[in-house]
Short mmCIF file of all heavy atoms in Angstrom, two decimals:
data_model
loop_
_atom_site.label_atom_id
_atom_site.label_comp_id
_atom_site.label_asym_id
_atom_site.label_seq_id
_atom_site.Cartn_x
_atom_site.Cartn_y
_atom_site.Cartn_z
N ALA N 1106 -35.63 -8.49 24.48
CA ALA N 1106 -35.03 -7.33 25.15
C ALA N 1106 -33.52 -7.41 25.09
O ALA N 1106 -32.83 -6.41 24.85
CB ALA N 1106 -35.50 -7.27 26.60
N CYS N 1107 -33.01 -8.62 25.28
CA CYS N 1107 -31.55 -8.80 25.27
C CYS N 1107 -30.99 -8.52 23.89
O CYS N 1107 -29.97 -7.86 23.76
CB CYS N 1107 -31.18 -10.22 25.67
SG CYS N 1107 -31.49 -10.53 27.39
N ARG N 1116 -18.72 -9.30 21.19
CA ARG N 1116 -17.30 -9.13 21.46
C ARG N 1116 -16.48 -10.14 20.67
O ARG N 1116 -16.97 -11.21 20.32
CB ARG N 1116 -17.06 -9.24 22.97
CG ARG N 1116 -17.55 -8.00 23.69
CD ARG N 1116 -17.43 -8.13 25.17
NE ARG N 1116 -18.25 -9.23 25.68
CZ ARG N 1116 -18.31 -9.58 26.95
NH1 ARG N 1116 -17.59 -8.94 27.84
NH2 ARG N 1116 -19.08 -10.57 27.33
N GLU N 1119 -16.72 -14.21 20.29
CA GLU N 1119 -18.04 -14.73 20.61
C GLU N 1119 -18.77 -15.18 19.35
O GLU N 1119 -18.57 -14.62 18.28
CB GLU N 1119 -18.89 -13.66 21.32
CG GLU N 1119 -18.41 -13.35 22.71
CD GLU N 1119 -19.25 -12.28 23.37
OE1 GLU N 1119 -20.00 -11.58 22.68
OE2 GLU N 1119 -19.13 -12.14 24.60
N ARG N 1122 -25.57 -15.14 18.29
CA ARG N 1122 -26.61 -16.07 18.73
C ARG N 1122 -27.67 -16.27 17.67
O ARG N 1122 -28.27 -15.32 17.19
CB ARG N 1122 -27.28 -15.53 20.00
CG ARG N 1122 -26.40 -15.69 21.21
CD ARG N 1122 -27.14 -15.35 22.49
NE ARG N 1122 -26.22 -15.40 23.61
CZ ARG N 1122 -25.34 -14.43 23.87
NH1 ARG N 1122 -25.29 -13.36 23.10
NH2 ARG N 1122 -24.52 -14.53 24.89
N HIS N 1211 -7.01 -5.89 -3.66
CA HIS N 1211 -5.57 -5.73 -3.51
C HIS N 1211 -5.09 -4.30 -3.67
O HIS N 1211 -3.94 -4.01 -3.39
CB HIS N 1211 -4.84 -6.63 -4.52
CG HIS N 1211 -5.01 -8.07 -4.25
ND1 HIS N 1211 -5.99 -8.84 -4.84
CD2 HIS N 1211 -4.34 -8.91 -3.42
CE1 HIS N 1211 -5.91 -10.08 -4.38
NE2 HIS N 1211 -4.93 -10.16 -3.53
N GLY N 1212 -5.95 -3.39 -4.14
CA GLY N 1212 -5.50 -2.03 -4.38
C GLY N 1212 -4.52 -1.98 -5.53
O GLY N 1212 -3.38 -1.57 -5.37
N MET N 1215 -3.07 3.21 -7.49
CA MET N 1215 -2.87 4.10 -6.35
C MET N 1215 -4.21 4.51 -5.75
O MET N 1215 -4.39 4.54 -4.54
CB MET N 1215 -2.09 5.35 -6.80
CG MET N 1215 -0.62 5.11 -7.02
SD MET N 1215 0.27 4.58 -5.53
CE MET N 1215 0.72 6.14 -4.80
N GLU N 1216 -5.15 4.82 -6.63
CA GLU N 1216 -6.48 5.24 -6.15
C GLU N 1216 -7.13 4.14 -5.30
O GLU N 1216 -7.59 4.37 -4.19
CB GLU N 1216 -7.36 5.56 -7.37
CG GLU N 1216 -8.66 6.24 -7.06
CD GLU N 1216 -8.47 7.71 -6.68
OE1 GLU N 1216 -7.60 8.36 -7.29
OE2 GLU N 1216 -9.17 8.17 -5.78
N ALA N 1218 -5.67 1.55 -3.93
CA ALA N 1218 -4.86 1.21 -2.76
C ALA N 1218 -5.12 2.18 -1.62
O ALA N 1218 -5.16 1.80 -0.45
CB ALA N 1218 -3.39 1.19 -3.13
N HIS N 1219 -5.29 3.44 -1.96
CA HIS N 1219 -5.54 4.42 -0.91
C HIS N 1219 -6.94 4.33 -0.35
O HIS N 1219 -7.17 4.54 0.83
CB HIS N 1219 -5.28 5.83 -1.45
CG HIS N 1219 -3.84 6.19 -1.46
ND1 HIS N 1219 -3.06 6.10 -2.57
CD2 HIS N 1219 -3.02 6.62 -0.47
CE1 HIS N 1219 -1.82 6.47 -2.29
NE2 HIS N 1219 -1.77 6.79 -1.01
N GLN N 1220 -7.88 4.01 -1.24
CA GLN N 1220 -9.24 3.83 -0.74
C GLN N 1220 -9.29 2.63 0.19
O GLN N 1220 -9.90 2.69 1.25
CB GLN N 1220 -10.20 3.62 -1.91
CG GLN N 1220 -11.65 3.48 -1.47
CD GLN N 1220 -12.54 2.91 -2.56
OE1 GLN N 1220 -12.17 2.86 -3.73
NE2 GLN N 1220 -13.71 2.47 -2.17
N GLY N 1221 -8.64 1.57 -0.20
CA GLY N 1221 -8.63 0.36 0.61
C GLY N 1221 -9.87 -0.48 0.37
O GLY N 1221 -10.88 0.01 -0.12
N ASN N 1223 -12.85 -3.32 1.96
CA ASN N 1223 -13.76 -3.20 3.10
C ASN N 1223 -13.49 -4.23 4.19
O ASN N 1223 -14.34 -4.48 5.04
CB ASN N 1223 -15.21 -3.32 2.64
CG ASN N 1223 -15.60 -2.18 1.74
OD1 ASN N 1223 -15.13 -1.05 1.91
ND2 ASN N 1223 -16.46 -2.45 0.77
N ASN N 1225 -12.16 -5.26 7.53
CA ASN N 1225 -11.75 -4.62 8.78
C ASN N 1225 -12.19 -5.49 9.93
O ASN N 1225 -12.73 -6.58 9.73
CB ASN N 1225 -12.33 -3.20 8.88
CG ASN N 1225 -13.85 -3.20 8.83
OD1 ASN N 1225 -14.51 -3.89 9.60
ND2 ASN N 1225 -14.41 -2.43 7.91
N LEU N 1227 -14.57 -5.51 11.92
CA LEU N 1227 -15.97 -5.89 12.06
C LEU N 1227 -16.49 -6.72 10.88
O LEU N 1227 -17.56 -7.30 10.95
CB LEU N 1227 -16.84 -4.64 12.22
CG LEU N 1227 -16.48 -3.76 13.41
CD1 LEU N 1227 -17.42 -2.57 13.49
CD2 LEU N 1227 -16.49 -4.55 14.71
N TYR N 1241 -5.13 -6.08 22.16
CA TYR N 1241 -5.78 -5.39 23.29
C TYR N 1241 -7.20 -5.87 23.58
O TYR N 1241 -7.82 -5.36 24.49
CB TYR N 1241 -5.82 -3.86 23.07
CG TYR N 1241 -4.52 -3.28 22.62
CD1 TYR N 1241 -4.46 -2.44 21.52
CD2 TYR N 1241 -3.34 -3.57 23.29
CE1 TYR N 1241 -3.26 -1.90 21.10
CE2 TYR N 1241 -2.14 -3.04 22.86
CZ TYR N 1241 -2.10 -2.21 21.77
OH TYR N 1241 -0.92 -1.68 21.35
N ASP N 1242 -7.73 -6.84 22.83
CA ASP N 1242 -9.09 -7.24 23.11
C ASP N 1242 -9.20 -7.85 24.50
O ASP N 1242 -10.06 -7.47 25.28
CB ASP N 1242 -9.60 -8.22 22.06
CG ASP N 1242 -10.07 -7.50 20.81
OD1 ASP N 1242 -10.48 -6.34 20.94
OD2 ASP N 1242 -10.00 -8.10 19.73
N TYR N 1243 -8.38 -8.82 24.77
CA TYR N 1243 -8.37 -9.40 26.12
C TYR N 1243 -6.91 -9.63 26.48
O TYR N 1243 -6.53 -10.74 26.84
CB TYR N 1243 -9.12 -10.73 26.18
CG TYR N 1243 -10.43 -10.76 25.44
CD1 TYR N 1243 -10.52 -11.28 24.15
CD2 TYR N 1243 -11.59 -10.27 26.04
CE1 TYR N 1243 -11.71 -11.32 23.47
CE2 TYR N 1243 -12.79 -10.30 25.36
CZ TYR N 1243 -12.85 -10.82 24.08
OH TYR N 1243 -14.05 -10.86 23.40
N SER N 1244 -6.10 -8.60 26.31
CA SER N 1244 -4.66 -8.78 26.40
C SER N 1244 -4.24 -9.63 27.59
O SER N 1244 -4.65 -9.38 28.71
CB SER N 1244 -3.97 -7.42 26.50
OG SER N 1244 -4.11 -6.74 25.28
N ARG N 1258 -11.00 -19.47 22.67
CA ARG N 1258 -11.16 -18.80 21.38
C ARG N 1258 -11.03 -17.29 21.55
O ARG N 1258 -11.35 -16.53 20.64
CB ARG N 1258 -12.48 -19.17 20.73
CG ARG N 1258 -13.72 -18.76 21.50
CD ARG N 1258 -14.97 -19.21 20.74
NE ARG N 1258 -16.19 -18.65 21.29
CZ ARG N 1258 -16.84 -19.17 22.33
NH1 ARG N 1258 -16.42 -20.27 22.91
NH2 ARG N 1258 -17.95 -18.59 22.77
N PHE N 1259 -10.56 -16.85 22.71
CA PHE N 1259 -10.48 -15.43 22.98
C PHE N 1259 -9.05 -14.89 23.01
O PHE N 1259 -8.83 -13.73 23.31
CB PHE N 1259 -11.18 -15.10 24.31
CG PHE N 1259 -12.63 -15.46 24.29
CD1 PHE N 1259 -13.11 -16.55 24.99
CD2 PHE N 1259 -13.53 -14.71 23.54
CE1 PHE N 1259 -14.46 -16.89 24.95
CE2 PHE N 1259 -14.88 -15.03 23.50
CZ PHE N 1259 -15.34 -16.12 24.21
N THR N 1271 1.99 -7.66 -0.97
CA THR N 1271 0.79 -6.82 -0.86
C THR N 1271 -0.11 -6.91 -2.09
O THR N 1271 -1.32 -6.75 -1.98
CB THR N 1271 1.16 -5.33 -0.65
OG1 THR N 1271 2.04 -4.93 -1.70
CG2 THR N 1271 1.83 -5.12 0.69
N ARG N 1317 -6.71 -5.09 10.62
CA ARG N 1317 -5.92 -3.95 10.14
C ARG N 1317 -5.20 -3.23 11.27
O ARG N 1317 -4.95 -2.04 11.20
CB ARG N 1317 -6.83 -2.95 9.40
CG ARG N 1317 -7.81 -3.60 8.43
CD ARG N 1317 -7.12 -4.47 7.42
NE ARG N 1317 -6.38 -3.68 6.45
CZ ARG N 1317 -6.90 -3.16 5.36
NH1 ARG N 1317 -8.17 -3.39 5.05
NH2 ARG N 1317 -6.17 -2.45 4.54
N ASN N 1318 -4.91 -3.95 12.33
CA ASN N 1318 -4.23 -3.37 13.48
C ASN N 1318 -2.94 -4.11 13.73
O ASN N 1318 -2.96 -5.24 14.20
CB ASN N 1318 -5.10 -3.51 14.75
CG ASN N 1318 -5.97 -2.31 14.99
OD1 ASN N 1318 -6.18 -1.50 14.10
ND2 ASN N 1318 -6.47 -2.19 16.20
N GLY N 1319 -1.82 -3.47 13.46
CA GLY N 1319 -0.55 -4.05 13.86
C GLY N 1319 0.47 -4.09 12.75
O GLY N 1319 0.20 -3.76 11.60
N GLY N 1321 2.88 -2.29 11.96
CA GLY N 1321 3.39 -1.07 11.37
C GLY N 1321 2.65 -0.62 10.14
O GLY N 1321 2.96 0.41 9.58
N SER N 1322 1.65 -1.38 9.71
CA SER N 1322 0.91 -0.95 8.52
C SER N 1322 -0.55 -1.39 8.54
O SER N 1322 -1.38 -0.80 7.87
CB SER N 1322 1.56 -1.52 7.26
OG SER N 1322 1.34 -2.92 7.19
N GLY N 1323 -0.83 -2.44 9.29
CA GLY N 1323 -2.21 -2.94 9.27
C GLY N 1323 -2.58 -3.61 7.97
O GLY N 1323 -3.75 -3.79 7.66
N SER N 1324 -1.58 -4.03 7.20
CA SER N 1324 -1.88 -4.69 5.93
C SER N 1324 -2.69 -5.96 6.16
O SER N 1324 -2.38 -6.76 7.03
CB SER N 1324 -0.58 -5.05 5.21
OG SER N 1324 -0.85 -5.88 4.09
N ILE O 791 -35.29 -8.14 33.57
CA ILE O 791 -34.82 -8.35 32.20
C ILE O 791 -33.33 -8.07 32.10
O ILE O 791 -32.57 -8.83 31.50
CB ILE O 791 -35.61 -7.45 31.22
CG1 ILE O 791 -37.03 -8.01 31.07
CG2 ILE O 791 -34.92 -7.35 29.87
CD1 ILE O 791 -37.95 -7.16 30.25
N ALA O 794 -31.41 -10.86 33.66
CA ALA O 794 -31.42 -12.04 32.79
C ALA O 794 -30.47 -11.86 31.63
O ALA O 794 -29.78 -12.80 31.21
CB ALA O 794 -32.85 -12.28 32.28
N CYS O 795 -30.44 -10.64 31.14
CA CYS O 795 -29.54 -10.36 30.02
C CYS O 795 -28.10 -10.57 30.43
O CYS O 795 -27.30 -11.16 29.70
CB CYS O 795 -29.68 -8.91 29.57
SG CYS O 795 -31.21 -8.60 28.68
N LEU O 798 -27.34 -14.19 30.60
CA LEU O 798 -27.19 -14.75 29.26
C LEU O 798 -25.86 -14.35 28.65
O LEU O 798 -25.17 -15.16 28.04
CB LEU O 798 -28.31 -14.23 28.35
CG LEU O 798 -29.60 -15.04 28.33
CD1 LEU O 798 -30.66 -14.31 27.54
CD2 LEU O 798 -29.35 -16.42 27.73
N ASP O 802 -21.44 -16.74 27.56
CA ASP O 802 -20.55 -16.81 26.42
C ASP O 802 -19.39 -15.84 26.57
O ASP O 802 -18.88 -15.30 25.61
CB ASP O 802 -21.32 -16.51 25.13
CG ASP O 802 -20.59 -17.03 23.90
OD1 ASP O 802 -19.74 -17.91 24.09
OD2 ASP O 802 -20.85 -16.54 22.82
N SER O 803 -19.01 -15.59 27.81
CA SER O 803 -17.98 -14.58 28.03
C SER O 803 -16.61 -15.19 28.20
O SER O 803 -16.47 -16.29 28.72
CB SER O 803 -18.31 -13.77 29.29
OG SER O 803 -19.38 -12.91 29.03
N PRO O 804 -15.60 -14.50 27.75
CA PRO O 804 -14.23 -14.93 28.02
C PRO O 804 -13.94 -14.79 29.50
O PRO O 804 -14.59 -14.03 30.19
CB PRO O 804 -13.39 -13.95 27.21
CG PRO O 804 -14.26 -12.73 27.08
CD PRO O 804 -15.67 -13.22 27.05
N ALA O 806 -10.95 -13.86 30.82
CA ALA O 806 -10.12 -12.68 31.10
C ALA O 806 -10.54 -11.53 30.20
O ALA O 806 -10.42 -11.61 28.99
CB ALA O 806 -8.66 -13.01 30.85
N GLN O 807 -11.09 -10.48 30.79
CA GLN O 807 -11.51 -9.34 29.98
C GLN O 807 -10.58 -8.18 30.21
O GLN O 807 -10.36 -7.75 31.34
CB GLN O 807 -12.89 -8.90 30.43
CG GLN O 807 -14.00 -9.67 29.77
CD GLN O 807 -15.32 -9.06 30.14
OE1 GLN O 807 -15.55 -7.90 29.93
NE2 GLN O 807 -16.18 -9.86 30.73
N PHE O 808 -10.06 -7.64 29.13
CA PHE O 808 -9.29 -6.42 29.22
C PHE O 808 -8.21 -6.51 30.29
O PHE O 808 -7.97 -5.60 31.06
CB PHE O 808 -10.20 -5.22 29.46
CG PHE O 808 -11.25 -5.13 28.39
CD1 PHE O 808 -12.56 -5.48 28.65
CD2 PHE O 808 -10.91 -4.75 27.12
CE1 PHE O 808 -13.52 -5.43 27.66
CE2 PHE O 808 -11.87 -4.69 26.11
CZ PHE O 808 -13.18 -5.03 26.39
N ASN O 809 -7.61 -7.67 30.37
CA ASN O 809 -6.48 -7.84 31.27
C ASN O 809 -5.29 -7.12 30.66
O ASN O 809 -4.86 -7.42 29.56
CB ASN O 809 -6.17 -9.34 31.42
CG ASN O 809 -4.99 -9.59 32.31
OD1 ASN O 809 -4.19 -8.70 32.56
ND2 ASN O 809 -4.88 -10.80 32.79
N ILE O 813 0.98 -5.79 28.73
CA ILE O 813 1.50 -4.70 27.92
C ILE O 813 2.32 -3.75 28.78
O ILE O 813 1.82 -3.14 29.71
CB ILE O 813 0.36 -3.95 27.24
CG1 ILE O 813 -0.36 -4.92 26.31
CG2 ILE O 813 0.87 -2.76 26.47
CD1 ILE O 813 -1.66 -4.42 25.82
N LEU O 899 -4.50 0.81 27.67
CA LEU O 899 -3.41 -0.14 27.47
C LEU O 899 -2.90 -0.67 28.80
O LEU O 899 -2.16 -1.63 28.84
CB LEU O 899 -2.28 0.52 26.71
CG LEU O 899 -2.58 0.82 25.25
CD1 LEU O 899 -1.39 1.45 24.60
CD2 LEU O 899 -2.95 -0.44 24.53
N HIS O 915 1.29 8.48 4.03
CA HIS O 915 0.39 8.71 2.90
C HIS O 915 0.40 7.60 1.85
O HIS O 915 -0.40 7.64 0.93
CB HIS O 915 0.72 10.05 2.24
CG HIS O 915 0.42 11.22 3.11
ND1 HIS O 915 1.36 11.80 3.93
CD2 HIS O 915 -0.73 11.88 3.34
CE1 HIS O 915 0.80 12.79 4.59
NE2 HIS O 915 -0.46 12.87 4.27
N GLY O 916 1.28 6.63 1.99
CA GLY O 916 1.34 5.58 0.98
C GLY O 916 1.79 6.14 -0.36
O GLY O 916 1.07 6.05 -1.36
N ASP O 917 2.96 6.72 -0.39
CA ASP O 917 3.41 7.40 -1.61
C ASP O 917 3.76 6.44 -2.73
O ASP O 917 3.68 6.79 -3.91
CB ASP O 917 4.63 8.29 -1.30
CG ASP O 917 4.21 9.58 -0.60
OD1 ASP O 917 3.00 9.81 -0.45
OD2 ASP O 917 5.10 10.35 -0.20
N ALA O 922 1.06 2.11 -0.26
CA ALA O 922 -0.38 2.35 -0.26
C ALA O 922 -1.16 1.06 -0.03
O ALA O 922 -2.17 1.04 0.66
CB ALA O 922 -0.81 3.00 -1.57
N GLN O 923 -0.65 -0.04 -0.60
CA GLN O 923 -1.34 -1.33 -0.42
C GLN O 923 -1.21 -1.81 1.02
O GLN O 923 -2.12 -2.40 1.58
CB GLN O 923 -0.76 -2.36 -1.39
CG GLN O 923 -1.21 -2.15 -2.83
CD GLN O 923 -0.45 -3.00 -3.82
OE1 GLN O 923 0.65 -3.47 -3.54
NE2 GLN O 923 -1.01 -3.19 -4.99
N ARG O 924 -0.02 -1.58 1.59
CA ARG O 924 0.16 -1.97 2.99
C ARG O 924 -0.79 -1.18 3.88
O ARG O 924 -1.37 -1.71 4.81
CB ARG O 924 1.60 -1.70 3.43
CG ARG O 924 2.58 -2.79 3.07
CD ARG O 924 4.00 -2.33 3.28
NE ARG O 924 4.29 -1.89 4.63
CZ ARG O 924 4.66 -2.71 5.61
NH1 ARG O 924 4.74 -3.98 5.41
NH2 ARG O 924 4.93 -2.23 6.80
N SER O 926 -1.78 2.86 5.70
CA SER O 926 -1.17 3.83 6.60
C SER O 926 -0.91 3.17 7.93
O SER O 926 -1.42 2.11 8.25
CB SER O 926 -2.09 5.02 6.82
OG SER O 926 -2.98 4.73 7.86
N ASN O 927 -0.12 3.84 8.69
CA ASN O 927 0.28 3.29 9.97
C ASN O 927 -0.66 3.71 11.10
O ASN O 927 -0.34 3.56 12.27
CB ASN O 927 1.71 3.77 10.27
CG ASN O 927 2.45 2.83 11.15
OD1 ASN O 927 1.96 1.76 11.48
ND2 ASN O 927 3.62 3.22 11.57
N PHE O 929 -3.86 3.02 13.16
CA PHE O 929 -4.84 1.98 13.48
C PHE O 929 -5.86 2.57 14.44
O PHE O 929 -5.58 3.55 15.10
CB PHE O 929 -4.20 0.79 14.19
CG PHE O 929 -2.89 0.36 13.64
CD1 PHE O 929 -1.88 0.02 14.49
CD2 PHE O 929 -2.68 0.27 12.28
CE1 PHE O 929 -0.67 -0.40 13.99
CE2 PHE O 929 -1.48 -0.15 11.78
CZ PHE O 929 -0.46 -0.48 12.65
N LYS O 930 -6.96 1.89 14.53
CA LYS O 930 -7.94 2.33 15.53
C LYS O 930 -7.30 2.41 16.92
O LYS O 930 -7.54 3.34 17.67
CB LYS O 930 -9.11 1.37 15.58
CG LYS O 930 -10.02 1.70 16.76
CD LYS O 930 -11.36 1.10 16.67
CE LYS O 930 -12.16 1.58 17.88
NZ LYS O 930 -13.50 1.05 17.87
N GLN O 931 -6.48 1.41 17.23
CA GLN O 931 -5.94 1.33 18.60
C GLN O 931 -4.83 2.33 18.84
O GLN O 931 -4.43 2.56 19.98
CB GLN O 931 -5.42 -0.07 18.88
CG GLN O 931 -6.49 -1.15 18.81
CD GLN O 931 -7.38 -1.16 20.02
OE1 GLN O 931 -7.12 -0.47 20.99
NE2 GLN O 931 -8.46 -1.93 19.97
N VAL O 944 -16.97 2.69 14.35
CA VAL O 944 -18.06 1.81 13.95
C VAL O 944 -18.11 0.60 14.88
O VAL O 944 -17.08 -0.01 15.16
CB VAL O 944 -17.88 1.35 12.49
CG1 VAL O 944 -18.96 0.35 12.11
CG2 VAL O 944 -17.87 2.54 11.56
N TRP O 960 -6.30 11.60 -0.75
CA TRP O 960 -5.59 10.53 -0.04
C TRP O 960 -4.09 10.75 0.03
O TRP O 960 -3.41 10.23 0.89
CB TRP O 960 -5.92 9.16 -0.60
CG TRP O 960 -6.00 9.05 -2.09
CD1 TRP O 960 -7.15 8.96 -2.84
CD2 TRP O 960 -4.92 9.01 -3.03
NE1 TRP O 960 -6.83 8.87 -4.17
CE2 TRP O 960 -5.49 8.89 -4.32
CE3 TRP O 960 -3.53 9.05 -2.90
CZ2 TRP O 960 -4.71 8.83 -5.48
CZ3 TRP O 960 -2.76 8.98 -4.06
CH2 TRP O 960 -3.34 8.88 -5.32
N ILE O 992 -12.62 2.38 9.11
CA ILE O 992 -13.79 1.60 8.72
C ILE O 992 -14.81 2.52 8.07
O ILE O 992 -15.23 3.51 8.68
CB ILE O 992 -14.44 0.89 9.92
CG1 ILE O 992 -13.45 -0.10 10.54
CG2 ILE O 992 -15.72 0.17 9.50
CD1 ILE O 992 -14.02 -0.87 11.71
N GLY O 995 -14.23 1.81 2.42
CA GLY O 995 -12.81 1.47 2.33
C GLY O 995 -12.15 1.64 3.68
O GLY O 995 -12.80 1.46 4.72
N SER O 996 -10.89 1.98 3.67
CA SER O 996 -10.18 2.03 4.95
C SER O 996 -9.20 3.19 5.02
O SER O 996 -8.14 3.08 5.60
CB SER O 996 -9.46 0.70 5.18
OG SER O 996 -8.73 0.32 4.02
N SER O 997 -9.58 4.30 4.42
CA SER O 997 -8.67 5.45 4.42
C SER O 997 -8.77 6.25 5.71
O SER O 997 -9.86 6.54 6.20
CB SER O 997 -8.98 6.38 3.24
OG SER O 997 -8.19 7.54 3.31
#
Side-chain angles (χ1 to χ4, degrees):
Chain N
C1107 290
R1116 287 175 298 179
E1119 290 179 344
R1122 286 189 185 76
H1211 293 94
M1215 285 298 272
E1216 191 74 38
H1219 279 98
Q1220 182 196 345
N1223 295 327
N1225 59 54
L1227 302 181
Y1241 314 130
D1242 279 333
Y1243 317 97
S1244 291
R1258 62 180 190 276
F1259 299 107
T1271 54
R1317 316 304 289 274
N1318 268 16
S1322 71
S1324 170
Chain O
I791 287 174
C795 287
L798 271 173
D802 200 20
S803 287
Q807 275 187 56
F808 304 105
N809 179 342
I813 298 167
L899 290 180
H915 293 94
D917 284 354
Q923 286 169 339
R924 277 168 57 86
S926 86
N927 207 5
F929 318 138
K930 171 163 183 179
Q931 298 284 351
V944 176
W960 41 256
I992 298 182
S996 47
S997 174

